[in-house]
């Protein structure tokens, strides 16, 4: 077989020749995949700005009061002061959550 036929190359130059063919093939495959995804509408879209901030706000709304309530409940069981630590730390969790939400809302969306 001749050295210039597809799939053939000089033995000493096999790695560099193979890498160039593979990178060209990879670029062609990526271009064809992108074209097909754009044609069929299945391309992965980046989330719109603000979704990440919305997720952070939701996390703060849930985690702040839940964490405060859990810690308050544990302290109540430990000290035997039935609802007082639970109520105080639940309120503290809500306050901290709203403070963090205000701080998040002052940031620019990514």
């Amino acid at each position: 077989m001749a050295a210039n036929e597809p799939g053939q190359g000089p033995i000493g130059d096999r790695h560099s020749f193979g890498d160039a063919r593979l990178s060209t093939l990879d670029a062609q495959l990526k271009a064809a995949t992108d074209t097909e995804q754009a044609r069929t509408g299945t391309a992965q879209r980046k989330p719109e700005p603000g979704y990440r901030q919305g997720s952070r706000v939701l996390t703060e709304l849930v985690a702040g009061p839940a964490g405060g309530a859990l810690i308050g409940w544990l302290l109540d069981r430990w000290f035997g002061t039935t609802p007082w630590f639970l109520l105080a730390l639940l309120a503290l969790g809500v306050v901290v959550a709203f403070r963090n939400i205000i701080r998040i809302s002052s940031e620019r969306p990514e």
Side-chain angles (χ1 to χ4, degrees), residues 17-50:
F17 185 69
D19 290 342
R21 286 187 305 168
L22 287 177
S23 62
T24 302
L25 182 60
D26 188 39
Q28 290 173 349
L29 182 60
K30 180 163 176 28
T33 303
D34 291 344
T35 303
E36 181 64 19
Q37 285 179 346
R39 185 183 68 80
T40 59
T42 59
Q44 294 289 330
R45 295 186 197 128
K46 291 180 76 177
E48 294 181 24

PDB file of all heavy atoms in Angstrom, residues 17-50:
ATOM      1  N   PHE A  17       0.945  11.851  12.517  1.00  0.00           N
ATOM      2  CA  PHE A  17      -0.020  11.778  11.421  1.00  0.00           C
ATOM      3  C   PHE A  17      -1.379  11.335  11.947  1.00  0.00           C
ATOM      4  O   PHE A  17      -2.410  11.880  11.592  1.00  0.00           O
ATOM      5  CB  PHE A  17       0.493  10.813  10.343  1.00  0.00           C
ATOM      6  CG  PHE A  17      -0.370  10.767   9.115  1.00  0.00           C
ATOM      7  CD1 PHE A  17      -0.433  11.853   8.273  1.00  0.00           C
ATOM      8  CD2 PHE A  17      -1.143   9.650   8.828  1.00  0.00           C
ATOM      9  CE1 PHE A  17      -1.218  11.825   7.137  1.00  0.00           C
ATOM     10  CE2 PHE A  17      -1.942   9.622   7.711  1.00  0.00           C
ATOM     11  CZ  PHE A  17      -1.973  10.705   6.856  1.00  0.00           C
ATOM     12  N   GLY A  18      -1.395  10.362  12.853  1.00  0.00           N
ATOM     13  CA  GLY A  18      -2.647   9.873  13.423  1.00  0.00           C
ATOM     14  C   GLY A  18      -3.333  10.930  14.273  1.00  0.00           C
ATOM     15  O   GLY A  18      -4.545  11.085  14.231  1.00  0.00           O
ATOM     16  N   ASP A  19      -2.580  11.690  15.051  1.00  0.00           N
ATOM     17  CA  ASP A  19      -3.161  12.727  15.883  1.00  0.00           C
ATOM     18  C   ASP A  19      -3.793  13.820  15.039  1.00  0.00           C
ATOM     19  O   ASP A  19      -4.849  14.347  15.387  1.00  0.00           O
ATOM     20  CB  ASP A  19      -2.111  13.318  16.812  1.00  0.00           C
ATOM     21  CG  ASP A  19      -1.676  12.345  17.889  1.00  0.00           C
ATOM     22  OD1 ASP A  19      -2.404  11.364  18.142  1.00  0.00           O
ATOM     23  OD2 ASP A  19      -0.626  12.586  18.488  1.00  0.00           O
ATOM     24  N   ALA A  20      -3.171  14.197  13.944  1.00  0.00           N
ATOM     25  CA  ALA A  20      -3.726  15.236  13.073  1.00  0.00           C
ATOM     26  C   ALA A  20      -5.028  14.751  12.454  1.00  0.00           C
ATOM     27  O   ALA A  20      -6.006  15.498  12.374  1.00  0.00           O
ATOM     28  CB  ALA A  20      -2.722  15.604  11.988  1.00  0.00           C
ATOM     29  N   ARG A  21      -5.053  13.490  12.020  1.00  0.00           N
ATOM     30  CA  ARG A  21      -6.287  12.958  11.438  1.00  0.00           C
ATOM     31  C   ARG A  21      -7.389  12.869  12.482  1.00  0.00           C
ATOM     32  O   ARG A  21      -8.536  13.189  12.213  1.00  0.00           O
ATOM     33  CB  ARG A  21      -6.039  11.575  10.841  1.00  0.00           C
ATOM     34  CG  ARG A  21      -5.259  11.611   9.555  1.00  0.00           C
ATOM     35  CD  ARG A  21      -5.200  10.262   8.929  1.00  0.00           C
ATOM     36  NE  ARG A  21      -4.648   9.302   9.908  1.00  0.00           N
ATOM     37  CZ  ARG A  21      -4.671   7.999   9.762  1.00  0.00           C
ATOM     38  NH1 ARG A  21      -5.197   7.471   8.687  1.00  0.00           N
ATOM     39  NH2 ARG A  21      -4.156   7.202  10.665  1.00  0.00           N
ATOM     40  N   LEU A  22      -7.034  12.435  13.697  1.00  0.00           N
ATOM     41  CA  LEU A  22      -8.042  12.318  14.754  1.00  0.00           C
ATOM     42  C   LEU A  22      -8.590  13.678  15.163  1.00  0.00           C
ATOM     43  O   LEU A  22      -9.784  13.825  15.396  1.00  0.00           O
ATOM     44  CB  LEU A  22      -7.455  11.592  15.960  1.00  0.00           C
ATOM     45  CG  LEU A  22      -7.249  10.096  15.794  1.00  0.00           C
ATOM     46  CD1 LEU A  22      -6.594   9.515  17.034  1.00  0.00           C
ATOM     47  CD2 LEU A  22      -8.558   9.396  15.505  1.00  0.00           C
ATOM     48  N   SER A  23      -7.725  14.680  15.256  1.00  0.00           N
ATOM     49  CA  SER A  23      -8.213  16.000  15.643  1.00  0.00           C
ATOM     50  C   SER A  23      -9.088  16.598  14.545  1.00  0.00           C
ATOM     51  O   SER A  23     -10.094  17.250  14.838  1.00  0.00           O
ATOM     52  CB  SER A  23      -7.055  16.933  15.981  1.00  0.00           C
ATOM     53  OG  SER A  23      -6.228  17.117  14.862  1.00  0.00           O
ATOM     54  N   THR A  24      -8.744  16.357  13.271  1.00  0.00           N
ATOM     55  CA  THR A  24      -9.586  16.826  12.168  1.00  0.00           C
ATOM     56  C   THR A  24     -10.931  16.113  12.188  1.00  0.00           C
ATOM     57  O   THR A  24     -11.984  16.740  12.038  1.00  0.00           O
ATOM     58  CB  THR A  24      -8.887  16.587  10.820  1.00  0.00           C
ATOM     59  OG1 THR A  24      -7.626  17.255  10.827  1.00  0.00           O
ATOM     60  CG2 THR A  24      -9.723  17.103   9.669  1.00  0.00           C
ATOM     61  N   LEU A  25     -10.900  14.802  12.414  1.00  0.00           N
ATOM     62  CA  LEU A  25     -12.136  14.033  12.484  1.00  0.00           C
ATOM     63  C   LEU A  25     -12.978  14.477  13.672  1.00  0.00           C
ATOM     64  O   LEU A  25     -14.199  14.605  13.555  1.00  0.00           O
ATOM     65  CB  LEU A  25     -11.814  12.539  12.592  1.00  0.00           C
ATOM     66  CG  LEU A  25     -13.012  11.599  12.635  1.00  0.00           C
ATOM     67  CD1 LEU A  25     -13.854  11.736  11.365  1.00  0.00           C
ATOM     68  CD2 LEU A  25     -12.550  10.174  12.823  1.00  0.00           C
ATOM     69  N   ASP A  26     -12.340  14.747  14.796  1.00  0.00           N
ATOM     70  CA  ASP A  26     -13.062  15.210  15.978  1.00  0.00           C
ATOM     71  C   ASP A  26     -13.729  16.561  15.717  1.00  0.00           C
ATOM     72  O   ASP A  26     -14.878  16.786  16.107  1.00  0.00           O
ATOM     73  CB  ASP A  26     -12.098  15.307  17.156  1.00  0.00           C
ATOM     74  CG  ASP A  26     -12.808  15.587  18.460  1.00  0.00           C
ATOM     75  OD1 ASP A  26     -13.906  15.022  18.673  1.00  0.00           O
ATOM     76  OD2 ASP A  26     -12.262  16.355  19.281  1.00  0.00           O
ATOM     77  N   ALA A  27     -13.032  17.470  15.051  1.00  0.00           N
ATOM     78  CA  ALA A  27     -13.603  18.778  14.731  1.00  0.00           C
ATOM     79  C   ALA A  27     -14.786  18.641  13.776  1.00  0.00           C
ATOM     80  O   ALA A  27     -15.809  19.313  13.939  1.00  0.00           O
ATOM     81  CB  ALA A  27     -12.534  19.683  14.121  1.00  0.00           C
ATOM     82  N   GLN A  28     -14.663  17.764  12.792  1.00  0.00           N
ATOM     83  CA  GLN A  28     -15.767  17.548  11.849  1.00  0.00           C
ATOM     84  C   GLN A  28     -16.974  16.927  12.555  1.00  0.00           C
ATOM     85  O   GLN A  28     -18.118  17.310  12.301  1.00  0.00           O
ATOM     86  CB  GLN A  28     -15.325  16.647  10.702  1.00  0.00           C
ATOM     87  CG  GLN A  28     -14.347  17.298   9.753  1.00  0.00           C
ATOM     88  CD  GLN A  28     -13.813  16.308   8.720  1.00  0.00           C
ATOM     89  OE1 GLN A  28     -14.013  15.099   8.826  1.00  0.00           O
ATOM     90  NE2 GLN A  28     -13.129  16.842   7.705  1.00  0.00           N
ATOM     91  N   LEU A  29     -16.723  15.985  13.447  1.00  0.00           N
ATOM     92  CA  LEU A  29     -17.811  15.348  14.186  1.00  0.00           C
ATOM     93  C   LEU A  29     -18.513  16.345  15.094  1.00  0.00           C
ATOM     94  O   LEU A  29     -19.741  16.363  15.183  1.00  0.00           O
ATOM     95  CB  LEU A  29     -17.258  14.179  15.011  1.00  0.00           C
ATOM     96  CG  LEU A  29     -18.277  13.383  15.811  1.00  0.00           C
ATOM     97  CD1 LEU A  29     -19.313  12.766  14.893  1.00  0.00           C
ATOM     98  CD2 LEU A  29     -17.588  12.318  16.624  1.00  0.00           C
ATOM     99  N   LYS A  30     -17.758  17.206  15.764  1.00  0.00           N
ATOM    100  CA  LYS A  30     -18.356  18.218  16.622  1.00  0.00           C
ATOM    101  C   LYS A  30     -19.187  19.205  15.811  1.00  0.00           C
ATOM    102  O   LYS A  30     -20.294  19.567  16.211  1.00  0.00           O
ATOM    103  CB  LYS A  30     -17.288  18.964  17.406  1.00  0.00           C
ATOM    104  CG  LYS A  30     -17.868  20.033  18.317  1.00  0.00           C
ATOM    105  CD  LYS A  30     -16.898  20.473  19.346  1.00  0.00           C
ATOM    106  CE  LYS A  30     -17.398  21.594  20.216  1.00  0.00           C
ATOM    107  NZ  LYS A  30     -18.795  21.717  20.432  1.00  0.00           N
ATOM    108  N   ALA A  31     -18.691  19.624  14.665  1.00  0.00           N
ATOM    109  CA  ALA A  31     -19.444  20.549  13.812  1.00  0.00           C
ATOM    110  C   ALA A  31     -20.735  19.899  13.321  1.00  0.00           C
ATOM    111  O   ALA A  31     -21.800  20.529  13.319  1.00  0.00           O
ATOM    112  CB  ALA A  31     -18.590  20.986  12.624  1.00  0.00           C
ATOM    113  N   ALA A  32     -20.659  18.628  12.932  1.00  0.00           N
ATOM    114  CA  ALA A  32     -21.864  17.932  12.469  1.00  0.00           C
ATOM    115  C   ALA A  32     -22.861  17.758  13.607  1.00  0.00           C
ATOM    116  O   ALA A  32     -24.075  17.922  13.418  1.00  0.00           O
ATOM    117  CB  ALA A  32     -21.484  16.574  11.883  1.00  0.00           C
ATOM    118  N   THR A  33     -22.380  17.447  14.798  1.00  0.00           N
ATOM    119  CA  THR A  33     -23.271  17.295  15.954  1.00  0.00           C
ATOM    120  C   THR A  33     -23.935  18.616  16.310  1.00  0.00           C
ATOM    121  O   THR A  33     -25.141  18.660  16.572  1.00  0.00           O
ATOM    122  CB  THR A  33     -22.469  16.769  17.160  1.00  0.00           C
ATOM    123  OG1 THR A  33     -21.853  15.537  16.807  1.00  0.00           O
ATOM    124  CG2 THR A  33     -23.358  16.564  18.365  1.00  0.00           C
ATOM    125  N   ASP A  34     -23.167  19.708  16.320  1.00  0.00           N
ATOM    126  CA  ASP A  34     -23.737  21.018  16.605  1.00  0.00           C
ATOM    127  C   ASP A  34     -24.784  21.412  15.576  1.00  0.00           C
ATOM    128  O   ASP A  34     -25.841  21.940  15.926  1.00  0.00           O
ATOM    129  CB  ASP A  34     -22.630  22.079  16.661  1.00  0.00           C
ATOM    130  CG  ASP A  34     -21.718  21.900  17.872  1.00  0.00           C
ATOM    131  OD1 ASP A  34     -22.107  21.173  18.813  1.00  0.00           O
ATOM    132  OD2 ASP A  34     -20.622  22.493  17.859  1.00  0.00           O
ATOM    133  N   THR A  35     -24.504  21.142  14.304  1.00  0.00           N
ATOM    134  CA  THR A  35     -25.461  21.462  13.239  1.00  0.00           C
ATOM    135  C   THR A  35     -26.745  20.663  13.413  1.00  0.00           C
ATOM    136  O   THR A  35     -27.854  21.204  13.293  1.00  0.00           O
ATOM    137  CB  THR A  35     -24.835  21.174  11.862  1.00  0.00           C
ATOM    138  OG1 THR A  35     -23.629  21.929  11.735  1.00  0.00           O
ATOM    139  CG2 THR A  35     -25.785  21.536  10.741  1.00  0.00           C
ATOM    140  N   GLU A  36     -26.613  19.383  13.730  1.00  0.00           N
ATOM    141  CA  GLU A  36     -27.795  18.530  13.907  1.00  0.00           C
ATOM    142  C   GLU A  36     -28.601  18.952  15.135  1.00  0.00           C
ATOM    143  O   GLU A  36     -29.828  18.974  15.093  1.00  0.00           O
ATOM    144  CB  GLU A  36     -27.374  17.067  14.021  1.00  0.00           C
ATOM    145  CG  GLU A  36     -28.511  16.101  14.180  1.00  0.00           C
ATOM    146  CD  GLU A  36     -29.455  16.057  12.984  1.00  0.00           C
ATOM    147  OE1 GLU A  36     -29.072  16.484  11.874  1.00  0.00           O
ATOM    148  OE2 GLU A  36     -30.590  15.591  13.156  1.00  0.00           O
ATOM    149  N   GLN A  37     -27.934  19.303  16.218  1.00  0.00           N
ATOM    150  CA  GLN A  37     -28.644  19.745  17.404  1.00  0.00           C
ATOM    151  C   GLN A  37     -29.360  21.063  17.165  1.00  0.00           C
ATOM    152  O   GLN A  37     -30.475  21.268  17.634  1.00  0.00           O
ATOM    153  CB  GLN A  37     -27.681  19.882  18.588  1.00  0.00           C
ATOM    154  CG  GLN A  37     -27.270  18.553  19.176  1.00  0.00           C
ATOM    155  CD  GLN A  37     -26.304  18.711  20.327  1.00  0.00           C
ATOM    156  OE1 GLN A  37     -25.732  19.776  20.540  1.00  0.00           O
ATOM    157  NE2 GLN A  37     -26.117  17.634  21.080  1.00  0.00           N
ATOM    158  N   ALA A  38     -28.742  21.966  16.431  1.00  0.00           N
ATOM    159  CA  ALA A  38     -29.394  23.227  16.102  1.00  0.00           C
ATOM    160  C   ALA A  38     -30.584  22.995  15.186  1.00  0.00           C
ATOM    161  O   ALA A  38     -31.629  23.647  15.310  1.00  0.00           O
ATOM    162  CB  ALA A  38     -28.396  24.175  15.442  1.00  0.00           C
ATOM    163  N   ARG A  39     -30.470  22.038  14.255  1.00  0.00           N
ATOM    164  CA  ARG A  39     -31.562  21.751  13.329  1.00  0.00           C
ATOM    165  C   ARG A  39     -32.755  21.132  14.044  1.00  0.00           C
ATOM    166  O   ARG A  39     -33.902  21.495  13.791  1.00  0.00           O
ATOM    167  CB  ARG A  39     -31.072  20.799  12.230  1.00  0.00           C
ATOM    168  CG  ARG A  39     -32.103  20.536  11.131  1.00  0.00           C
ATOM    169  CD  ARG A  39     -31.603  19.533  10.112  1.00  0.00           C
ATOM    170  NE  ARG A  39     -31.465  18.196  10.649  1.00  0.00           N
ATOM    171  CZ  ARG A  39     -32.489  17.334  10.804  1.00  0.00           C
ATOM    172  NH1 ARG A  39     -33.699  17.687  10.487  1.00  0.00           N
ATOM    173  NH2 ARG A  39     -32.267  16.131  11.301  1.00  0.00           N
ATOM    174  N   THR A  40     -32.491  20.218  14.966  1.00  0.00           N
ATOM    175  CA  THR A  40     -33.587  19.527  15.643  1.00  0.00           C
ATOM    176  C   THR A  40     -34.043  20.242  16.907  1.00  0.00           C
ATOM    177  O   THR A  40     -35.062  19.874  17.477  1.00  0.00           O
ATOM    178  CB  THR A  40     -33.171  18.090  16.023  1.00  0.00           C
ATOM    179  OG1 THR A  40     -32.046  18.137  16.874  1.00  0.00           O
ATOM    180  CG2 THR A  40     -32.883  17.262  14.791  1.00  0.00           C
ATOM    181  N   GLY A  41     -33.313  21.241  17.355  1.00  0.00           N
ATOM    182  CA  GLY A  41     -33.702  21.989  18.543  1.00  0.00           C
ATOM    183  C   GLY A  41     -33.377  21.266  19.835  1.00  0.00           C
ATOM    184  O   GLY A  41     -33.999  21.525  20.857  1.00  0.00           O
ATOM    185  N   THR A  42     -32.432  20.347  19.812  1.00  0.00           N
ATOM    186  CA  THR A  42     -32.069  19.603  21.021  1.00  0.00           C
ATOM    187  C   THR A  42     -30.768  20.080  21.621  1.00  0.00           C
ATOM    188  O   THR A  42     -30.210  19.408  22.478  1.00  0.00           O
ATOM    189  CB  THR A  42     -31.949  18.096  20.708  1.00  0.00           C
ATOM    190  OG1 THR A  42     -30.963  17.919  19.694  1.00  0.00           O
ATOM    191  CG2 THR A  42     -33.269  17.512  20.274  1.00  0.00           C
ATOM    192  N   ALA A  43     -30.281  21.221  21.199  1.00  0.00           N
ATOM    193  CA  ALA A  43     -29.017  21.738  21.732  1.00  0.00           C
ATOM    194  C   ALA A  43     -29.201  22.112  23.196  1.00  0.00           C
ATOM    195  O   ALA A  43     -30.256  22.593  23.609  1.00  0.00           O
ATOM    196  CB  ALA A  43     -28.565  22.951  20.935  1.00  0.00           C
ATOM    197  N   GLN A  44     -28.175  21.880  23.994  1.00  0.00           N
ATOM    198  CA  GLN A  44     -28.209  22.231  25.400  1.00  0.00           C
ATOM    199  C   GLN A  44     -28.122  23.752  25.517  1.00  0.00           C
ATOM    200  O   GLN A  44     -27.194  24.361  25.026  1.00  0.00           O
ATOM    201  CB  GLN A  44     -27.037  21.582  26.142  1.00  0.00           C
ATOM    202  CG  GLN A  44     -27.105  20.081  26.198  1.00  0.00           C
ATOM    203  CD  GLN A  44     -28.211  19.606  27.122  1.00  0.00           C
ATOM    204  OE1 GLN A  44     -28.545  20.276  28.092  1.00  0.00           O
ATOM    205  NE2 GLN A  44     -28.793  18.475  26.790  1.00  0.00           N
ATOM    206  N   ARG A  45     -29.092  24.324  26.184  1.00  0.00           N
ATOM    207  CA  ARG A  45     -29.084  25.772  26.364  1.00  0.00           C
ATOM    208  C   ARG A  45     -28.540  26.098  27.741  1.00  0.00           C
ATOM    209  O   ARG A  45     -28.754  25.367  28.695  1.00  0.00           O
ATOM    210  CB  ARG A  45     -30.504  26.323  26.268  1.00  0.00           C
ATOM    211  CG  ARG A  45     -31.099  26.152  24.918  1.00  0.00           C
ATOM    212  CD  ARG A  45     -32.448  26.846  24.859  1.00  0.00           C
ATOM    213  NE  ARG A  45     -33.182  26.350  23.726  1.00  0.00           N
ATOM    214  CZ  ARG A  45     -34.404  25.876  23.763  1.00  0.00           C
ATOM    215  NH1 ARG A  45     -35.061  25.860  24.895  1.00  0.00           N
ATOM    216  NH2 ARG A  45     -34.990  25.439  22.684  1.00  0.00           N
ATOM    217  N   LYS A  46     -27.862  27.226  27.816  1.00  0.00           N
ATOM    218  CA  LYS A  46     -27.415  27.700  29.114  1.00  0.00           C
ATOM    219  C   LYS A  46     -28.632  28.256  29.838  1.00  0.00           C
ATOM    220  O   LYS A  46     -29.510  28.853  29.225  1.00  0.00           O
ATOM    221  CB  LYS A  46     -26.370  28.800  28.941  1.00  0.00           C
ATOM    222  CG  LYS A  46     -25.052  28.300  28.376  1.00  0.00           C
ATOM    223  CD  LYS A  46     -24.076  29.415  28.234  1.00  0.00           C
ATOM    224  CE  LYS A  46     -23.518  29.764  29.592  1.00  0.00           C
ATOM    225  NZ  LYS A  46     -22.493  30.798  29.532  1.00  0.00           N
ATOM    226  N   PRO A  47     -28.718  28.063  31.146  1.00  0.00           N
ATOM    227  CA  PRO A  47     -29.863  28.616  31.873  1.00  0.00           C
ATOM    228  C   PRO A  47     -29.865  30.134  31.783  1.00  0.00           C
ATOM    229  O   PRO A  47     -28.819  30.764  31.706  1.00  0.00           O
ATOM    230  CB  PRO A  47     -29.657  28.154  33.305  1.00  0.00           C
ATOM    231  CG  PRO A  47     -28.359  27.471  33.361  1.00  0.00           C
ATOM    232  CD  PRO A  47     -27.817  27.325  31.978  1.00  0.00           C
ATOM    233  N   GLU A  48     -31.059  30.695  31.780  1.00  0.00           N
ATOM    234  CA  GLU A  48     -31.173  32.145  31.708  1.00  0.00           C
ATOM    235  C   GLU A  48     -30.604  32.763  32.981  1.00  0.00           C
ATOM    236  O   GLU A  48     -30.608  32.140  34.041  1.00  0.00           O
ATOM    237  CB  GLU A  48     -32.638  32.536  31.538  1.00  0.00           C
ATOM    238  CG  GLU A  48     -33.214  32.090  30.219  1.00  0.00           C
ATOM    239  CD  GLU A  48     -34.659  32.508  30.063  1.00  0.00           C
ATOM    240  OE1 GLU A  48     -35.063  33.486  30.716  1.00  0.00           O
ATOM    241  OE2 GLU A  48     -35.362  31.862  29.297  1.00  0.00           O
ATOM    242  N   PRO A  49     -30.121  34.004  32.876  1.00  0.00           N
ATOM    243  CA  PRO A  49     -29.566  34.652  34.065  1.00  0.00           C
ATOM    244  C   PRO A  49     -30.623  34.756  35.154  1.00  0.00           C
ATOM    245  O   PRO A  49     -31.782  35.022  34.897  1.00  0.00           O
ATOM    246  CB  PRO A  49     -29.170  36.038  33.573  1.00  0.00           C
ATOM    247  CG  PRO A  49     -29.065  35.927  32.103  1.00  0.00           C
ATOM    248  CD  PRO A  49     -29.991  34.830  31.692  1.00  0.00           C
ATOM    249  N   GLY A  50     -30.227  34.542  36.371  1.00  0.00           N
ATOM    250  CA  GLY A  50     -31.146  34.651  37.490  1.00  0.00           C
ATOM    251  C   GLY A  50     -31.593  33.315  38.045  1.00  0.00           C
ATOM    252  O   GLY A  50     -32.060  33.252  39.177  1.00  0.00           O
TER     253      GLY A  50
END
